[in-house]
Amino acid sequence: MTNNFNRKIFAGISVSISIFSTALGQEVQKNPNVIIIMADQLRADLLQREGYPLNTMPFADSLAGQGTWFNRAYTAAPASGPARVSMLTGRFPSATHVRSNHNLRDAFYTKDLFDVAREQGYATALVGKNHSHLSPDRVDYWRPYNHDGQGPEDKSEIGEAFDKYLKTLDMYADMKPSPYGIEGQLPYRMVDDASHWIDTLSDTPFLMWFSMAEPHNPYQTCEPYYSMFPPESLPRMKSSAGDLKTKGEEYLLLAEMMGQGHVGYQDNLQRLRSIYHGMLRMIDDQLARLVDELKEKGVYDNTIILFVADHGDYVGEYGLMKKGVGLDDALSRIPMQWTGPGIKASPTPHEAHVSIIDIFPTICEIMGADIPLGMQGRSLWPLLQEKEYPEKEFESVMVQDGFGGMYYTRDDATDFQEEGAVGKKGLFFDELNTWTQSGTMRMLRKGDWKLVYDMDGNGQLYNLREDSSELDNLFDDKAYEKIKNEMIGNLLRWEISVQDPIPVPRQRYRFKRNDHNYLFR
């Protein structure tokens, strides 16, 4: 049994607990297939449908127009492990106990997405990057790919060579076109694996987590993608390294460490941005190829496709790449689009504020399953069908960050190599380190406004319509005191509402939940 099973017993809860039926009059397609296509570290505002001047992901944009998409979708935390565990469990990191990339085995919940899918008779698969509490014994088809290549499964000659090449990049970048063409790239090989597995299923409904390790570093791509977005053609950034001091000491430390690890990265910043854009188009072409495979196999019409990211990337914001500190929208806002049977098509974004933790309860209702106890996400199924829903429920959304404790600062030991943040040789740099991830922060988005607040009472307030790079902190401006107080009150309501409900009382008290697991109606 897994470590999580022991935690389930500790919580005093049977994993078969359910409180209410999720059908609730919704028209759920019988046994639709579900594919979660996840990109790793994809910045939402670099899509043309978001107003970006370059056409980075035309197929994803066209697919979004055939379904429902959100431009106020947020991760649970801007780090892979916490975000992915939250998606699979429908719970914030404060409840899963996975607040860093190094606590995956501590995941705390009653049931996750793969438990429910198996109970509903679905075949299950992971094709791609895991970086969650999920393990091979719980999945019917396990085909892992990570940032340094494919798992131990049989590889083609090109695959073997490309994976060796990836390991030479030390999780940084290749400033030249990568070798071996598109056939070596991981998303291409993943489409082959996914297609092969679907062929084996006959009429069995399936859940597939198709999880690409791109456009996360190491930043690399082959031709023609390498040359599609030349550095000189990229839009000018609204911020630069000159704004690091405005953003604060954590950002300055991150830039210092990044400069030590990725020597000369500032000189290469435009090329890095260019490669990132090329990776987006490469991903987009493989998304199109996967959909073509579904159509050719005759399963597309009964398949719900969710395209999402676990978090974003600075992509040059504040002169930085990757991720690391703060809850800026560059890192915390994610693309989220749903397409498939029963989902209404709209060319414009849905106005709701939604979270990655809302994915699991939504899929529960799509499958006709009960929403497990302990869930903090809300089902989006009524929204996706254009049915009535309480607008107040989705007028704001929260994001969490930090592994806890006090902030590490420049006054503490600054041997970044000894700590493991910066490699002792080569170009390695791990931006999720002791300094960048210490402390605890919360973020609230509501309409055009954004509040960030930490455990020391430091506050940030931004108007995202006027200040998309979040440089003009209005928190102490008396002219915005009413808005600030409303945002603080809203954040407090979120914090109280998502206190972990498990374990529930063992006797007498009856635990009540709203339809669709709504929190605020």
Side-chain angles (χ1 to χ4, degrees):
M1 293 296 181
T2 65
N3 180 64
N4 185 61
F5 180 76
N6 293 329
R7 285 188 164 271
K8 291 173 185 174
I9 294 175
F10 173 79
I13 302 164
S14 165
V15 296
S16 64
I17 283 180
S18 62
I19 300 301
F20 62 92
S21 171
T22 59
L24 297 168
Q26 301 294 339
E27 298 172 6
V28 181
Q29 180 86 4
K30 184 178 180 181
N31 296 329
N33 308 309
V34 178
I35 301 180
I36 301 172
I37 300 175
M38 174 174 276
D40 190 350
Q41 209 160 288
L42 195 159
R43 181 167 166 171
D45 63 353
L46 298 192
L47 302 178
Q48 194 171 61
R49 69 170 182 262
E50 294 258 0
Y52 196 61
L54 301 181
N55 198 11
T56 55
M57 300 191 75
F59 184 79
D61 286 346
S62 68
L63 195 63
Q66 299 170 37
T68 300
W69 63 282
F70 300 89
N71 65 352
R72 293 173 179 174
Y74 283 81
T75 187
S80 290
R84 290 161 181 260
V85 173
S86 286
M87 182 189 75
L88 295 178
T89 64
R91 290 158 57 78
F92 278 106
S94 57
T96 65
H97 303 175
V98 181
R99 296 184 293 272
S100 78
N101 280 344
H102 307 287
N103 295 95
L104 301 178
R105 65 182 181 179
D106 297 319
F108 182 60
Y109 59 100
T110 55
K111 295 179 187 178
D112 68 12
L113 176 57
F114 281 80
D115 290 324
V116 169
R118 178 165 290 184
E119 289 174 0
Q120 296 300 113
Y122 278 65
T124 58
L126 166 73
V127 179
K129 178 181 174 179
N130 178 21
H131 206 173
S132 79
H133 64 288
L134 195 63
S135 55
D137 58 297
R138 300 181 52 228
V139 180
D140 297 314
Y141 183 71
W142 184 263
R143 199 72 169 179
Y145 289 77
N146 213 321
H147 302 298
D148 60 355
Q150 190 179 354
E153 289 77 11
D154 293 337
K155 305 178 188 180
S156 66
E157 185 176 338
I158 288 179
E160 187 78 37
F162 184 78
D163 290 358
K164 288 181 180 178
Y165 154 77
L166 281 179
K167 291 176 174 60
T168 68
L169 302 183
D170 217 359
M171 289 296 288
Y172 177 38
D174 188 349
M175 303 304 167
K176 305 180 298 298
S178 56
Y180 307 110
I182 188 61
E183 291 83 2
Q185 291 287 331
L186 306 186
Y188 184 95
R189 291 150 59 187
M190 288 169 55
V191 172
D192 285 348
D193 287 343
S195 177
H196 169 75
W197 180 67
I198 293 171
D199 281 338
T200 69
L201 296 179
S202 185
D203 294 327
T204 306
F206 64 85
L207 165 73
M208 179 188 295
W209 186 16
F210 187 90
S211 178
M212 294 173 283
E214 294 84 2
H216 190 289
N217 52 290
Y219 303 113
Q220 58 76 30
T221 194
C222 59
E223 293 289 11
Y225 306 104
Y226 178 86
S227 300
M228 278 187 178
F229 303 96
E232 62 272 13
S233 73
L234 301 181
R236 184 175 180 179
M237 299 295 301
K238 295 180 181 179
S239 67
S240 70
D243 296 308
L244 288 168
K245 187 174 181 180
T246 298
K247 293 299 292 183
E249 183 183 15
E250 278 190 316
Y251 290 78
L252 289 166
L253 278 172
L254 176 64
E256 180 182 328
M257 285 184 273
M258 193 171 290
Q260 287 186 23
H262 300 329
V263 177
Y265 91 92
Q266 276 288 352
D267 295 333
N268 292 314
L269 191 59
Q270 283 297 96
R271 173 55 69 186
L272 291 168
R273 292 181 63 208
S274 170
I275 294 169
Y276 184 94
H277 283 64
M279 293 174 80
L280 294 181
R281 179 61 69 85
M282 185 268 290
I283 289 170
D284 192 64
D285 282 352
Q286 297 316 302
L287 174 58
R289 185 166 160 255
L290 177 61
V291 169
D292 284 344
E293 289 287 323
L294 298 176
K295 291 178 178 178
E296 189 173 302
K297 298 176 189 305
V299 299
Y300 176 77
D301 289 339
N302 194 37
T303 299
I304 287 178
I305 297 174
L306 165 64
F307 179 66
V308 70
D310 55 356
H311 55 78
D313 188 305
Y314 291 117
V315 198
E317 201 76 63
Y318 321 122
L320 300 170
M321 293 294 293
K322 303 165 69 171
K323 55 189 179 296
V325 300
L327 287 164
D328 307 290
D329 265 28
L331 305 184
S332 58
R333 191 165 72 86
I334 57 175
M336 184 189 292
Q337 62 187 66
W338 300 76
T339 310
I343 296 174
K344 298 298 183 180
S346 175
T348 58
H350 200 291
E351 63 185 8
H353 299 68
V354 299
S355 171
I356 199 170
I357 72 168
D358 298 329
I359 291 171
F360 179 19
T362 304
I363 295 176
C364 284
E365 294 202 336
I366 288 170
M367 291 180 173
D370 294 330
I371 295 176
L373 192 64
M375 193 78 70
Q376 296 169 317
R378 299 80 45 86
S379 173
L380 306 178
W381 192 227
L383 288 67
L384 299 178
Q385 298 178 100
E386 286 190 354
K387 295 198 172 183
E388 185 177 352
Y389 72 95
E391 293 185 10
K392 187 175 180 62
E393 179 71 34
F394 296 96
E395 70 178 6
S396 65
V397 65
M398 182 177 72
V399 183
Q400 302 182 344
D401 189 39
F403 68 75
M406 301 295 103
Y407 288 131
Y408 276 85
T409 71
R410 199 176 294 276
D411 294 333
D412 299 296
T414 54
D415 189 339
F416 304 136
Q417 288 189 1
E418 188 66 28
E419 194 270 347
V422 176
K424 296 183 179 180
K425 60 180 180 178
L427 293 169
F428 178 77
F429 167 57
D430 181 5
E431 69 278 12
L432 300 180
N433 56 63
T434 296
W435 289 272
T436 63
Q437 293 295 288
S438 58
T440 302
M441 299 177 70
R442 296 289 185 266
M443 186 218 87
L444 181 86
R445 167 76 188 270
K446 184 178 181 182
D448 293 336
W449 291 94
K450 178 172 182 176
L451 172 76
V452 180
Y453 206 74
D454 73 1
M455 77 287 184
D456 285 338
N458 300 309
Q460 303 167 54
L461 181 68
Y462 303 106
N463 185 311
L464 296 179
R465 182 180 294 274
E466 304 294 331
D467 180 23
S468 60
S469 291
E470 302 170 46
L471 295 172
D472 186 13
N473 183 3
L474 304 172
F475 190 83
D476 292 323
D477 190 324
K478 294 294 185 181
Y480 300 98
E481 189 163 4
K482 181 179 178 181
I483 292 173
K484 176 181 74 174
N485 291 336
E486 289 177 354
M487 296 287 284
I488 291 174
N490 210 296
L491 178 60
L492 180 59
R493 189 182 185 198
W494 264 98
E495 275 292 298
I496 292 172
S497 297
V498 300
Q499 292 300 298
D500 193 356
I502 58 175
V504 297
R506 293 175 181 267
Q507 60 189 22
R508 194 164 70 79
Y509 298 111
R510 292 179 295 166
F511 192 84
K512 181 179 178 180
R513 290 197 284 173
N514 290 322
D515 298 345
H516 311 293
N517 214 47
Y518 291 154
L519 297 176
F520 304 122
R521 64 179 307 183

